[in-house]
């Protein structure tokens, strides 16, 4: 764990089993990291369940922002008085450094985009998950930020993933692969076939290099790539399939299973989204990830690395056939 | 194992590690199933490696069709004198009942479509894999027959998968789910959103019913659906990701891991495709699957069940935006 204070806003009402799992997760996180401060965003009685369980010394690291409404239905922009909007506001006004929510991903992304603003040229922020693999972490993106496999988006994810692997996980010269159905050039559906030459032609940050097509195995095994690029639909179902497989196999491997927390990249703030079905350990992992990203100033550094990359008005846009929803 | 003779044509030259793994796989299959007959299609010296290792009684169940050329590059139609074309011809002329190849999937599908003909209204045959799960087998399709997520194709896969689960695996009243990023209605990318009402409106064979959206977990755990419908790109990367996860977790669960053999549905013959990286046990499983499908006359029965289903010139075609390659 890196040193340095990190002040993390926690959405007490986000998650299928909120607030109980969020309370438990917050307690674990506070006990594990002596430099961690939490801003608990939610009903005061829920926040009290956290503070009551802590020692006076630990309690000194807790602040509360009383809010009573959850974000509401996933397909609507979150209510202005919701916990997730309040958590975003707390980061924006400098009361916290980063935020974590296990609420609806759509609501969190909306609130973050609204409150922080998007990066230039980013229409849909990406969700980035890190899987432990034998040869080091494997960064998988997108895992649900946007769902359509647009070639230009896949090319952007290659840059984003390379920068994130280097900044967040200290991977030197990350190897970037495009997920497909085989490793031979030309394998894949039309978006992959269109994206492959875009990735091959891209100038990747942090000494990263494109290693071509990779397969499903490479996510867990990690021998071939440090960054695996895919669309949010595929990434999301993959992550859950790996989690299911580990459950079937009697539990994840010792180095860790499929993550249930992902970093949101593409908004001007540090945001971690936890799985709606997160358990206390997952919430604690999400809080630890947010603190880690903040301590490394990962979001700002990734953004700066991408600002130096070629603009998005490239020929790739002509391949992008997505219509507006 | 069901009784009854099954005569399986085996492509000795298909697979990354052919012929060695195919020879080993054929030996295992012959020793395991006393009613299995093999037609070995390939060089005589390779076939001799099989027959030399068998007892005289076992050897009486082996026939050889001498062929010397492998199928050639995956992106070309297989050569007329290739082992896979010869295996198809042997099934067509009645020398064998079904065929197995671990060669290029593209070449096998081409050879089968050319030699057997496609079912009415089927442009791209589907590859169907069966995963062992806690509550019984889970049928996953497509795993690579066609790669583009066309809503009409997804709807057809629902029918195909329901019929296959009932016929090949004796699943009563199969529950059919559409793989997506969440279970709430409306979750998913555009092809999934378009396919969901098509599946809900479809009349499924064998008492099957559509249970709505399912997630990646449901593939391995199987509590929610007996048939999981997806596009061939997603299915292929998923299957390989599950295989990678089991490898990471120290091996597949006792009930079995991700299959490396899949049935080809949509051509007028019984065909099993093995993974190019198949090991001897995988080839033996593929041969056993082909024998099982033949003994149940699964291909013909699935085809007959689908012939009774509504024709393909439905309103769904207007949603299909795929252009010809």
């Amino acid at each position: 764990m890196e040193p340095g204070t990190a002040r993390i806003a926690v959405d007490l009402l986000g998650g299928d089993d909120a607030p109980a799992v969020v309370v438990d997760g917050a307690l674990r996180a506070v006990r594990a990291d002596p430099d961690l401060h939490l801003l608990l965003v939610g009903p005061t009685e829920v926040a009290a369940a956290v503070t009551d369980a802590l020692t006076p010394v630990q309690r000194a690291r807790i602040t509360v922002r009383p809010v009573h409404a959850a974000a509401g239905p996933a397909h609507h922009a979150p209510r202005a008085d919701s916990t997730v909007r309040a958590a975003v506001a707390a980061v924006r006004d400098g009361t916290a450094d980063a935020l974590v929510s296990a609420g609806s991903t759509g609501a969190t992304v909306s609130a973050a985009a609204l409150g922080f603003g998007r990066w230039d040229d980013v229409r849909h922020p990406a969700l980035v998950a890190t899987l432990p693999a034998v040869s080091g972490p494997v960064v998988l993106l997108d895992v649900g930020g946007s769902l359509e496999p647009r070639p230009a988006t896949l090319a952007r994810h290659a840059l984003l993933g390379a920068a994130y692997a280097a900044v967040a996980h200290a991977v030197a010269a990350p190897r970037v692969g495009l997920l497909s159905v085989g490793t031979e050039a030309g394998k894949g559906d039309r978006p992959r076939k269109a994206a492959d030459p875009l990735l091959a032609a891209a100038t990747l940050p942090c000494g990263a290099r494109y290693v071509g097509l990779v397969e499903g195995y490479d996510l867990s095994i990690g021998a071939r790539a440090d960054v695996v690029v895919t669309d949010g639909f595929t990434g999301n179902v993959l992550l859950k399939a790996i989690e299911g497989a580990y459950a079937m196999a009697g539990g994840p491997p010792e180095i860790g299973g499929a993550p249930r927390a992902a970093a949101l990249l593409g908004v001007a703030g540090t945001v971690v989204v936890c799985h709606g079905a997160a358990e206390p350990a997952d919430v604690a992992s999400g809080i630890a990830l947010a603190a880690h990203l903040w301590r490394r100033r990962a979001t700002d550094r990734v953004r700066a690395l991408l600002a130096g990359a070629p603009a998005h008005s490239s020929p790739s846009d002509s391949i992008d056939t997505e219509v507006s929803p």
Side-chain angles (χ1 to χ4, degrees), chain A:
Chain A
M1 194 178 302
E2 301 95 333
T5 301
R7 301 167 305 156
I8 310 302
V10 177
D11 174 2
L12 292 176
L13 296 185
D16 300 346
D17 301 315
V21 293
V22 186
V23 167
D24 279 4
L27 287 171
R28 290 180 190 220
V30 168
R31 288 168 180 153
D33 178 354
D35 291 334
L36 179 71
H37 292 238
L38 294 187
L39 174 67
L40 303 176
V41 183
T44 44
E45 66 276 17
V46 175
V50 177
T51 48
D52 289 354
L54 294 173
T55 66
V57 172
Q58 290 167 338
R59 206 176 297 146
R61 295 188 272 123
I62 306 293
T63 317
V64 178
R65 181 158 294 192
V67 178
H68 287 269
H75 52 282
H76 289 121
R79 297 166 44 164
D81 61 347
S82 65
T83 46
V84 70
R85 287 278 293 272
V88 168
V91 174
R92 209 182 37 202
D93 71 23
T95 309
D97 301 317
L99 75 95
V100 175
S101 177
S104 145
T105 300
T108 305
V109 173
S110 294
L114 203 67
F116 298 133
R118 293 180 178 85
W119 298 355
D120 290 346
D121 295 320
V122 170
R123 212 187 326 176
H124 298 289
L127 280 171
V128 185
T130 302
L131 290 92
V134 175
S135 51
V138 173
V139 169
L140 173 67
L141 76 167
D142 184 14
V143 298
S146 62
L147 298 180
E148 310 299 336
R150 302 161 63 240
T153 304
L154 294 171
R156 167 168 285 276
H157 287 169
L159 276 67
L160 208 52
Y164 185 81
V167 167
H169 301 302
V171 176
R175 298 161 301 163
V176 177
L178 175 63
L179 188 66
S180 194
V181 297
T183 57
E184 307 89 340
K187 284 273 189 184
D189 58 358
R190 282 169 302 155
R192 264 34 79 156
K193 286 180 180 173
D196 181 46
L198 298 181
L199 268 67
T203 304
L204 299 174
C206 307
R209 65 194 166 83
Y210 178 55
V211 298
L213 304 181
V214 298
E215 296 182 271
Y217 320 109
D218 296 303
L219 271 180
S220 310
I221 297 171
R224 201 178 274 150
D226 306 300
V227 177
V228 172
V229 171
T230 194
D231 60 280
F233 180 87
T234 305
N236 187 286
V237 296
L238 267 179
L239 205 56
K240 291 172 181 170
I242 291 172
E243 187 176 329
Y246 285 150
M248 281 286 290
E254 268 184 36
I255 58 169
R260 296 183 116 186
L264 183 68
L265 293 181
V267 296
T270 301
V271 180
V272 168
V273 173
C274 290
H275 194 298
E279 295 182 9
D282 304 316
V283 173
S285 291
I287 293 171
L289 174 61
H292 171 79
L293 295 176
W294 169 254
R295 285 167 176 147
R296 293 192 165 225
R297 304 295 190 276
T299 306
D300 285 348
R301 287 167 64 197
V302 169
R303 184 190 193 178
L305 284 164
L306 261 73
H312 206 45
S313 55
S314 67
S316 62
D317 279 27
S318 62
I319 295 165
D320 174 5
T321 56
E322 186 171 30
V323 294
S324 295

